[in-house]
């Protein structure tokens, strides 16, 4: 008998209206005040409604928001590290009040009915410092914070319709992944977060983790990323190729997490673990500089933050770094390799990128040739 992972907070949230109720509200949408949202907020709403962000039922109200900033927990004491918020202008804030129902629109389509509970001010300096550990605007998450409006608006949402996914085959909801894991007879599942194409270091981390559980859920972030990151379509095709050629088909599967990267380092590592718990994972891989950017976080800060929580309900699996040891003649890491560092060939993402940009395959001791060939098919595999 397969024992399902308990969702975060104890219950998988579902804030999706029935088609009949949704049609009725959409037909009357012009009678409501409305707020236009970008694709990132639209995806956040879908993630709330479909349970990826359980136990959230909407955008954070002030008490929850302040608790997340200060304590990395909701006011209910449930661990939560990334504020899921909706910002609005002073002009909008002057026309909307607590108790209002508001239509949230994306591309002029009604996406959700928003039950406004509270409007409160955003202290951008405090938000940036607490979430990202810095107010330096060269950090992409901080830069986004300072572009936000001056007010936050909190309350529950009811999803009316989803924005179509560019990759519907892989846009699985938690109720679907949980059913899939059950069908594959997996009791223990390790989730792997990525925003990159795979090299051999990633593959060996995944396989080392997989050797201790029943199944591997490779779960790339699909959404807005910073310039120079790999494009979503390239990441997906590269992973399709890797799984097809180098993993047992009954032990690995691929699905996407549609959201924006926040680049919040340690806090985002915990957030990523919680989301994978809601997908049904029992374990989560935390690598070197998880969700980091530049030199804003120490290499293993994302490992250390997990010691602050004994109630996450998902087991982190910590990995430092793998390398190719010329003396061992294989992939290794410091815990199992006795040789000196001059025998190591480290997996340099920068070097692999340089070779790919120049139209060359990285060596086979760095990246699978089939994966390199997928990337080389694209004129420009990077976000511009």
């Amino acid at each position: 008998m397969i024992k399902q992972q308990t969702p975060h907070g104890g219950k998988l949230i579902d804030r999706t209206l029935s088609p009949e109720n949704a049609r009725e509200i959409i037909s009357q949408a012009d009678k409501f005040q409305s707020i236009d949202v970008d694709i990132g907020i639209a995806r956040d709403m879908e993630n709330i409604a479909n349970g990826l962000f359980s136990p959230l039922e909407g955008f954070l109200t002030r008490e929850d928001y302040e608790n997340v900033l200060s304590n990395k927990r909701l006011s209910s004491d449930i661990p939560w590290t990334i504020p899921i918020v909706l910002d609005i202008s002073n002009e909008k804030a002057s026309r909307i009040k607590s108790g209002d129902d508001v239509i949230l629109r994306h591309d002029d389509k009604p996406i959700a009915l928003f039950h406004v509970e509270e409007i409160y001010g955003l202290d951008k300096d405090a938000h940036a410092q607490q979430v990202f550990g810095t107010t330096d605007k060269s950090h992409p998450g901080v830069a986004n914070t300072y572009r936000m409006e001056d007010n936050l608006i909190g309350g529950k949402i009811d999803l009316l319709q989803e924005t179509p996914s560019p990759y519907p085959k892989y846009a699985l909801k938690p109720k679907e992944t949980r059913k899939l894991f059950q069908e594959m007879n997996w009791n223990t599942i390790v989730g792997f977060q990525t925003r990159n194409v795979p090299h051999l270091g990633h593959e060996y981390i995944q396989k080392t983790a997989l050797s201790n559980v029943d199944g591997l859920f490779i779960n790339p972030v699909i959404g807005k990323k910073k310039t120079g990151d790999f494009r979503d379509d390239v990441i997906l095709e590269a992973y399709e190729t890797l799984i097809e050629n180098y993993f047992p088909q009954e032990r690995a599967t691929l699905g996407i997490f549609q959201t924006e990267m926040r680049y919040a380092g340690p806090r985002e590592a915990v957030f990523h673990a919680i989301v994978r718990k809601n997908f049904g994972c029992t374990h989560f891989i935390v690598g070197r500089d998880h969700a980091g950017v530049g030199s804003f976080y120490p290499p293993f800060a994302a490992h250390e933050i997990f010691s602050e929580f004994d109630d996450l309900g998902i087991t982190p699996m910590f990995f430092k770094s793998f390398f190719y040891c010329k003396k061992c003649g294989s992939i290794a890491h410091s815990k199992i390799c006795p040789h000196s560092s001059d025998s190591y060939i480290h997996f340099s993402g920068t070097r692999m990128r340089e070779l790919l940009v120049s139209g060359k395959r990285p060596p086979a001791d760095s990246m699978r040739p089939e994966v390199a060939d997928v990337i080389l098919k694209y004129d420009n595999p990077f976000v511009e």
Side-chain angles (χ1 to χ4, degrees), residues 5-21:
Q5 165 70 291
T6 302
H8 199 54
K11 176 186 174 185
L12 196 63
I13 298 300
D14 183 354
R15 300 290 303 183
T16 303
L17 288 183
S18 69
E20 297 78 19
N21 288 343

Side-chain angles (χ1 to χ4, degrees), residues 25-320:
I25 292 171
I26 289 170
S27 71
Q28 302 175 44
D30 291 341
K31 296 178 182 177
F32 296 87
Q33 292 194 73
S34 67
I35 297 172
D36 293 324
V37 301
D38 63 17
I39 186 62
I41 295 293
R43 293 298 186 211
D44 279 350
M45 291 190 293
E46 292 164 9
N47 290 334
I48 292 166
N50 292 318
L52 280 76
F53 290 176
S54 297
L56 301 193
E57 296 188 70
F59 296 105
L60 297 185
T61 54
R62 184 196 294 269
E63 186 180 9
D64 277 332
Y65 171 75
E66 290 179 349
N67 265 279
V68 169
L69 288 194
S70 300
N71 305 317
K72 305 184 186 79
R73 290 176 177 270
L74 300 169
S75 57
S76 61
D77 203 39
I78 294 171
W80 196 269
T81 53
I82 295 292
I84 305 300
V85 293
L86 175 59
D87 59 305
I88 60 168
S89 67
N90 289 324
E91 186 271 330
K92 281 284 186 188
S94 69
R95 295 195 283 111
I96 298 172
K97 62 182 185 301
S98 299
D100 284 351
D101 284 342
V102 174
I103 292 289
L104 301 178
R105 296 176 178 271
H106 175 64
D107 281 348
D108 205 34
K109 284 170 44 179
I111 300 295
L113 183 64
F114 182 32
H115 308 289
V116 178
E117 294 178 38
E118 194 174 7
I119 301 172
Y120 54 103
L122 169 62
D123 181 336
K124 296 178 184 180
D125 290 338
H127 183 103
Q129 187 62 50
Q130 294 279 57
V131 176
F132 303 106
T134 180
T135 56
D136 185 338
K137 293 180 184 176
S138 67
H139 184 298
V142 173
N144 286 338
T145 298
Y146 285 105
R147 285 193 286 266
M148 291 170 71
E149 300 287 358
D150 293 329
N151 306 278
L152 299 179
I153 182 167
K156 295 179 180 178
I157 62 116
D158 288 315
L159 194 69
L160 303 173
Q161 58 183 326
E162 295 190 11
T163 300
S165 171
Y167 309 104
K169 175 182 175 183
Y170 296 115
L172 303 177
K173 300 174 175 62
K175 61 185 178 184
E176 294 168 330
T177 54
R178 287 165 173 269
K179 182 180 178 184
L180 175 64
F181 298 158
Q182 199 159 32
E183 289 171 350
M184 297 183 85
N185 209 33
W186 294 352
N187 269 305
T188 52
I189 304 102
V190 63
F192 182 76
Q193 146 80 30
T194 185
R195 67 176 195 260
N196 282 307
V197 297
H199 56 58
L200 276 188
H202 298 135
E203 181 185 335
Y204 275 78
I205 286 174
Q206 293 157 10
K207 286 181 172 176
T208 301
L210 179 56
S211 66
N212 294 291
V213 296
D214 297 330
L216 169 69
F217 181 47
I218 297 174
N219 193 213
V221 163
I222 298 298
K224 182 181 175 184
K225 299 183 181 73
K226 63 181 174 60
T227 301
D229 279 355
F230 281 95
R231 284 169 28 191
D232 291 338
D233 51 350
V234 178
I235 294 167
L236 278 174
E237 190 174 351
Y239 265 106
E240 286 172 341
T241 300
L242 181 70
I243 292 171
E244 181 182 346
N245 287 281
Y246 293 101
F247 279 91
Q249 300 303 294
E250 72 280 6
R251 292 293 171 201
T253 193
L254 179 64
I256 59 176
F257 174 23
Q258 296 185 109
T259 193
E260 294 185 2
M261 279 297 301
R262 273 86 173 171
Y263 304 100
R267 276 184 178 253
E268 195 165 3
V270 175
F271 172 64
H272 285 162
I274 291 168
V275 170
R276 277 42 182 237
K277 176 186 175 184
N278 286 327
F279 272 122
C281 296
T282 56
H283 296 69
F284 181 65
I285 294 167
V286 186
R288 184 182 186 278
D289 197 28
H290 187 111
V293 62
S295 57
F296 282 101
Y297 309 106
F300 302 107
H303 292 190
E304 293 160 8
I305 192 173
F306 281 85
S307 67
E308 298 179 30
F309 304 93
D310 60 6
D311 54 351
L312 276 183
I314 185 169
T315 303
M317 301 178 79
F318 300 124
F319 292 92
K320 292 197 172 178

